[in-house]
Amino acid sequence: MLAALVLLNTVELVGVVVVGPGFWISVSVTGTLLVVYVFHLRNRALQERRRRRLEAREAAWLAARQAEVRREQARRAAQRREQQRRLAAQREAVRRAAMGVDSSLPAASVSYRRAGGLRGRAYEAGRPGTAAHTA
């Protein structure tokens, strides 16, 4: 559209020079249309620039929030890993203490064995209430 108006204005100005002053009326009309169209294009360009600035500002804000969220997620993940590491170390220490390998922790295990040695009687002792066989 801009090129058409510029071309038309140029042709009419050539008509003013070659043919006569009657073309001044059409030059003024197309010149006015050209100025109005250029003004319209300028306003659209300014609006587009404002829109791009706003989008860039929103994108920067969003990127900052996403970076903040990622930092918080990384912090929480590190905290979870550290907690899991501590829990695994504690379990290992308890396991070692239960096995009697590590003396750094007191053995706080429960034993279900009798203190008096073997359970029950020897096989050779025979049944209760009967005399043992001698061979």
Side-chain angles (χ1 to χ4, degrees), residues 9 12-13 16 23-32:
N9 237 357
E12 289 173 349
L13 285 174
V16 166
F23 278 93
W24 279 117
I25 294 173
S26 59
V27 168
S28 64
V29 171
T30 56
T32 304

Side-chain angles (χ1 to χ4, degrees), residues 2 5 30-47 50:
L2 180 65
L5 283 173
T30 56
T32 304
L33 287 176
L34 181 64
V35 168
V36 169
Y37 189 66
V38 167
F39 186 73
H40 168 73
L41 289 178
R42 180 182 172 275
N43 285 339
R44 279 187 51 191
L46 291 176
Q47 287 175 349
R50 280 188 215 116

Side-chain angles (χ1 to χ4, degrees), residues 2-87:
L2 180 65
L5 283 173
V6 169
L7 182 65
L8 184 60
N9 237 357
T10 306
V11 167
E12 289 173 349
L13 285 174
V14 169
V16 166
V17 172
V18 172
V19 175
F23 278 93
W24 279 117
I25 294 173
S26 59
V27 168
S28 64
V29 171
T30 56
T32 304
L33 287 176
L34 181 64
V35 168
V36 169
Y37 189 66
V38 167
F39 186 73
H40 168 73
L41 289 178
R42 180 182 172 275
N43 285 339
R44 279 187 51 191
L46 291 176
Q47 287 175 349
E48 182 67 20
R49 187 186 320 164
R50 280 188 215 116
R51 185 187 60 78
R52 275 188 266 129
R53 280 185 195 160
L54 181 62
E55 286 177 356
R57 192 177 306 131
E58 289 174 356
W61 178 85
L62 182 61
R65 296 294 90 66
Q66 287 175 341
E68 185 179 326
V69 166
R70 282 192 296 273
R71 281 191 303 269
E72 182 64 22
Q73 287 173 343
R75 185 191 65 78
R76 286 180 185 165
Q79 190 177 19
R80 276 193 306 273
R81 284 192 302 272
E82 178 62 24
Q83 188 176 11
Q84 288 173 351
R85 187 195 60 77
R86 275 193 234 126
L87 185 59

Side-chain angles (χ1 to χ4, degrees), residues 92-107:
E92 181 63 21
V94 168
R95 186 187 67 79
R96 287 178 176 263
M99 292 176 54
V101 175
D102 193 12
S103 62
S104 66
L105 288 178

